[in-house]
């Protein structure tokens, strides 16, 4: 078992290195860093216990508190991939069980050190409490994560890693049910059953590390555009001479992206994809069947605008059209209602982007329309 533990801890450190230095920094990336850190600490603690703690009851029975955070972390990762503008701070409360178990774990450890022996009753209370709490948490959140990603369209790479890590966590908890059942049937083999279940759990933690490493490498391969030898050589030269990594000049971009841009832009306009308030780069890639890294390169290098600027320009154009139609029909004008209809998710983002793109506030824009058409009455503005 010690070999599985030390290999798993080493694998977690390797995966941490990949995420820390080779991937883009993002909320989801940091969540995997926390998950790998938790696994590394968990397995390191177990390695120390198995090799340096002499008391057999602690070696074989005392649960580690860190396992209670595995389910919540994969759930938060799933939220970061399915919810727009997701903030981890809004879900701080799901880590309360982790802090409770951590306090209990270190308190009991200190008690055993002070007493210089293990209080079996206190150990049993802690083990039973931690066992049921970890089981409930790591059953609920992985199941919720799987259901969430099945309902939401996300990249296959992200779907696979979320689903597979969730299944690994679920299998660990199913092992708990299996061990309890077997102990009732075959109480004489308690030590063998416990060792087998623990070894399986540590092996699954190693698998989780491998899944994250695989996802990291797979994402990196997708992110690198296919280039011929001349393009690769040009990339190297530009990097050497610090030319802001511009691989292609304006003419080259026009040749490379002209047709692809027309395909995407036409789809955004005709299908009115911009009216989806939860639209993000991943979803746009799925709906247009264009690689998200190509979309990002087209927007930033070819059109020189970020994703949300591009989408919000269409939303504002749609907003202006429905305002014009309302004026023509003599209807009441509700800016906020029209903004939601255009695809904006909040009043603040609508006002900010409208001012940034049009150069006027929505009220100033409306007043200029009224002034131009000499229609100073009969309209009601409500925001």
């Amino acid at each position: 078992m010690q070999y599985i533990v030390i290999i798993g801890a080493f694998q977690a450190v390797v995966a941490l290195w990949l995420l820390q230095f080779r991937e883009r920094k993002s909320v989801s990336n940091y969540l995997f860093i926390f998950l790998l850190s938790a696994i590394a600490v968990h397995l390191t603690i177990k390695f120390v216990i198995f090799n340096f703690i002499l008391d057999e009851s602690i070696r074989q029975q005392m649960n580690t508190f860190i396992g209670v955070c595995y389910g919540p972390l994969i759930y938060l990762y799933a939220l970061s991939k399915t919810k727009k503008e997701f903030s981890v701070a809004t879900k701080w409360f799901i880590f309360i069980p982790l802090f409770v178990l951590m306090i209990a774990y270190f308190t009991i450890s200190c008690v055993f050190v002070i007493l210089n022996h293990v209080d079996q009753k206190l150990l049993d209370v802690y083990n039973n409490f931690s066992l049921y709490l970890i089981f409930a948490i790591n059953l609920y959140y992985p199941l919720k994560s799987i259901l969430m990603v099945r309902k939401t369209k996300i990249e296959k790479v992200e779907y696979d890693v979320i689903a597979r890590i969730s299944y690994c966590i679920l299998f660990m908890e199913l092992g708990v049910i299996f061990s309890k059942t077997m102990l009732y049937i075959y109480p004489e083999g308690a030590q063998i059953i416990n060792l087998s279940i623990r070894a399986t759990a540590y092996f699954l933690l190693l698998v989780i590390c491998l899944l994250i490493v695989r996802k990291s490498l797979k994402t990196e391969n997708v992110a690198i555009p296919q280039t011929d030898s001349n393009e690769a050589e040009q990339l190297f030269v530009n990097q050497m001479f610090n030319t802001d990594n511009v691989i292609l000049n304006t003419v080259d971009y026009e040749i490379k992206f002209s047709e692809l841009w027309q395909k995407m832009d036409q789809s955004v306009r005709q299908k009115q994809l911009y009216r989806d308030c939860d639209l993000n780069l991943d979803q746009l890639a799925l709906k247009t069947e264009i690689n998200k890294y190509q979309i990002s390169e087209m927007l930033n290098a070819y059109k020189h605008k970020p994703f949300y600027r591009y989408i919000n320009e269409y939303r504002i154009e749609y907003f202006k059209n429905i305002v014009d139609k309302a004026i023509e029909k003599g209807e009441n004008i509700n800016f906020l209602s029209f903004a939601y209809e255009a695809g904006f998710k909040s009043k603040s983002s609508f006002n900010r982007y409208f001012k940034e793109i049009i150069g006027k506030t929505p009220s100033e824009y409306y007043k200029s329309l009224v002034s131009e058409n000499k229609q100073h009455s009969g309209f009601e503005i409500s925001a």
Side-chain angles (χ1 to χ4, degrees):
M1 185 183 297
Q2 286 91 332
Y3 293 112
I4 296 176
V5 170
I6 197 62
I7 290 171
F10 176 75
Q11 187 64 57
V13 172
V14 171
L16 270 172
W17 178 86
L18 282 171
L19 286 180
Q20 184 68 28
F21 297 105
R22 302 182 67 177
E23 278 206 353
R24 295 176 295 113
K25 298 297 181 291
S26 62
V27 172
S28 55
N29 185 43
Y30 283 116
L31 288 169
F32 267 167
I33 287 176
F34 293 147
L35 177 57
L36 289 168
S37 300
I39 292 173
V41 172
H42 185 172
L43 295 178
T44 301
I45 290 174
K46 283 300 180 183
F47 180 78
V48 171
I49 288 174
F50 286 140
N51 286 275
F52 300 103
I53 301 299
L54 300 178
D55 193 285
E56 194 65 23
S57 59
I58 293 180
R59 286 163 56 93
Q60 303 301 332
Q61 297 178 26
M62 192 168 182
N63 297 326
T64 309
F65 65 93
I66 300 175
V68 79
C69 74
Y70 296 154
L73 282 172
I74 193 61
Y75 171 66
L76 291 176
Y77 185 86
L79 281 176
S80 72
K81 293 299 177 182
T82 56
K83 302 293 183 182
K84 181 181 176 183
E85 298 178 357
F86 168 70
S87 173
V88 176
T90 61
K91 298 290 183 180
W92 62 270
F93 53 87
I94 69 176
F95 289 111
I96 292 176
L98 172 65
F99 293 117
V100 170
L101 275 191
M102 180 173 65
I103 293 169
Y105 183 87
F106 286 112
T107 300
I108 291 173
S109 299
C110 291
V111 169
F112 292 164
V113 170
I114 293 171
L115 295 178
N116 201 27
H117 74 276
V118 175
D119 187 327
Q120 191 60 46
K121 289 184 179 179
L122 184 60
L123 181 61
D124 290 341
V125 169
Y126 167 77
N127 280 334
N128 290 329
F129 172 72
S130 60
L131 181 69
Y132 293 125
L133 184 60
I134 294 172
F135 176 78
I137 295 293
N138 285 341
L139 192 66
Y140 174 74
Y141 285 112
L143 283 173
K144 195 170 182 179
S145 301
I146 293 169
L147 294 174
M148 185 190 306
V149 295
R150 283 184 176 178
K151 292 179 181 179
T152 309
K153 291 183 178 180
I154 61 173
E155 281 189 320
K156 188 177 185 303
V157 174
E158 300 293 354
Y159 174 85
D160 287 345
V161 75
I162 292 171
R164 289 169 183 174
I165 291 177
S166 297
Y167 285 130
C168 285
I169 297 171
L170 288 173
F171 284 143
M172 284 193 289
E173 300 313 315
L174 290 175
V176 174
I177 298 177
F178 176 77
S179 65
K180 291 296 181 182
T181 304
M182 289 300 296
L183 286 174
Y184 281 114
I185 299 173
Y186 182 58
E188 296 83 3
Q191 186 173 356
I192 297 175
I193 293 170
N194 284 330
L195 285 174
S196 300
I197 294 301
R198 287 179 180 273
T200 303
Y202 302 147
F203 175 77
L204 288 171
L205 290 178
L206 188 152
V207 171
I208 290 174
C209 296
L210 291 174
L211 287 170
I212 296 175
V213 170
R214 180 174 177 269
K215 181 260 177 188
S216 177
L217 295 175
K218 204 167 183 179
T219 302
E220 182 183 359
N221 289 335
V222 173
I224 300 174
Q226 297 297 321
T227 61
D228 58 27
S229 58
N230 292 332
E231 288 178 331
E233 182 179 356
Q234 184 64 42
L235 173 60
F236 174 76
V237 171
N238 286 334
Q239 287 176 332
M240 288 296 292
F241 288 94
N242 191 25
T243 57
D244 294 331
N245 297 331
V246 178
I247 305 173
L248 305 171
N249 58 28
T250 306
V251 176
D252 294 326
Y253 277 123
E254 186 68 33
I255 294 171
K256 183 177 181 180
F257 290 129
S258 179
E259 292 185 5
L260 195 61
W261 174 264
Q262 289 180 13
K263 174 188 174 184
M264 186 194 76
D265 193 53
Q266 185 178 18
S267 182
V268 171
R269 283 186 287 105
Q270 292 183 349
K271 297 179 182 179
Q272 296 187 338
L273 300 179
Y274 53 85
R275 293 185 62 192
D276 179 1
C277 65
D278 292 319
L279 184 69
N280 56 32
L281 191 58
D282 290 329
Q283 292 171 345
L284 181 60
L286 286 172
K287 292 178 180 180
T288 58
E289 298 181 349
I290 300 173
N291 185 283
K292 75 172 185 177
Y293 298 103
Q294 288 182 307
I295 295 177
S296 180
E297 189 178 0
M298 282 194 295
L299 286 169
N300 292 301
Y302 181 47
K303 290 298 179 180
H304 307 291
K305 62 179 71 175
F307 171 76
Y308 284 109
R309 168 84 183 205
Y310 166 67
I311 294 299
N312 286 324
E313 283 178 354
Y314 273 118
R315 288 171 176 166
I316 289 172
E317 192 62 33
Y318 182 90
F319 170 84
K320 288 166 61 180
N321 289 335
I322 56 179
V323 168
D324 289 341
K325 290 177 182 178
I327 290 177
E328 290 176 3
K329 296 178 181 179
E331 298 175 347
N332 291 338
I333 297 176
N334 187 314
F335 282 179
L336 194 55
S337 176
F338 287 176
Y340 290 151
E341 185 180 339
F344 285 98
K345 200 168 187 178
S346 68
K347 181 179 178 180
S348 59
S349 63
F350 165 63
N351 288 332
R352 183 176 72 254
Y353 278 107
F354 195 97
K355 175 72 173 178
E356 179 183 323
I357 293 170
I358 303 300
K360 301 177 181 178
T361 65
S363 297
E364 290 171 345
Y365 171 76
Y366 172 77
K367 289 176 182 178
S368 67
L369 283 181
V370 172
S371 177
E372 289 174 6
N373 291 279
K374 296 182 180 180
Q375 295 178 346
H376 299 281
S377 60
F379 306 109
E380 178 186 345
I381 303 177
S382 57

